[in-house]
Amino acid sequence: MTATSDLGAARPASPDLLRSVFRKHAAGVAVITARGRSGPVGFTATSLASVSAEPPMLSFAVGTGGSSWPAIAVSDHVGVHVLGEHQRELAATFARSGADRFGPATAWREGPEGVPVLDDVPAWMVCRVVSRVPAGDHRIVLAEVLTGDPTGHGRPLLYHQGRFNGLRD
């Protein structure tokens, strides 16, 4: 391997640098839901990750300035929904500040533990929140999977270059 000092357009760390780099990273799209005091809450997440197989655990990040954070901060259970490429508008609705996320355009039902479960998703899970780890202006939520359904239809929705996209073969 040859060492070189040309690192291109290296920039110091900043929120803009982080966003710019992660626009190059394709991520799956999920919607996280919870039961809030005045009704269901939810948000679009691209930070969903598998953490452990035994016990089955996952993680996701949630911004502490977001409208869903107060409910997520105290909820014992959350819903995790893997979105399909046919659900671009649903992803946009749950990502948009001030949107009526559980309005007439959103098909959902009350699921296990009272968690809102979205209809027509490729897969969903209901999880018990294990911990919330501070991470800057976010919290990393660790949750244990209790139940779910991976049998829905559709190819996965991806987030890349600031847009929702489908897979290309």
Side-chain angles (χ1 to χ4, degrees), residues 2-169:
T2 304
T4 178
S5 62
D6 180 16
L7 297 178
R11 302 184 303 195
S14 69
D16 182 57
L17 173 66
L18 186 70
R19 282 189 289 271
S20 295
V21 169
F22 272 88
R23 280 187 189 106
K24 307 283 185 181
H25 173 70
V29 181
V31 166
I32 309 300
T33 60
R35 183 174 48 188
R37 286 184 209 191
S38 58
V41 301
F43 66 96
T44 299
T46 57
S47 58
L48 181 63
S50 172
V51 173
S52 169
E54 190 59 46
M57 294 182 74
L58 56 82
S59 70
F60 60 87
V62 55
T64 57
S67 61
S68 296
W69 170 243
I72 300 292
V74 298
S75 291
D76 292 330
H77 298 89
V78 294
V80 176
H81 308 83
V82 175
L83 298 191
E85 62 186 6
H86 64 286
Q87 296 176 305
R88 287 182 173 106
E89 187 53 41
L90 183 67
T93 297
F94 275 83
R96 198 169 27 253
S97 180
D100 186 5
R101 296 173 179 160
F102 288 91
T106 302
W108 66 281
R109 65 194 177 288
E110 186 174 305
E113 305 297 337
V115 171
V117 174
L118 301 177
D119 290 343
D120 195 32
V121 295
W124 62 267
M125 296 172 282
V126 170
C127 306
R128 181 180 61 83
V129 174
V130 174
S131 66
R132 298 166 186 87
V133 180
D137 61 357
H138 280 64
R139 295 296 181 269
I140 306 301
V141 177
L142 294 170
E144 183 177 0
V145 178
L146 300 178
T147 189
D149 182 358
T151 64
H153 299 286
R155 293 166 50 100
L157 182 63
L158 300 178
Y159 189 71
H160 181 251
Q161 294 286 16
R163 296 184 349 208
F164 297 113
N165 297 284
L167 279 178
R168 283 187 245 165
D169 291 330

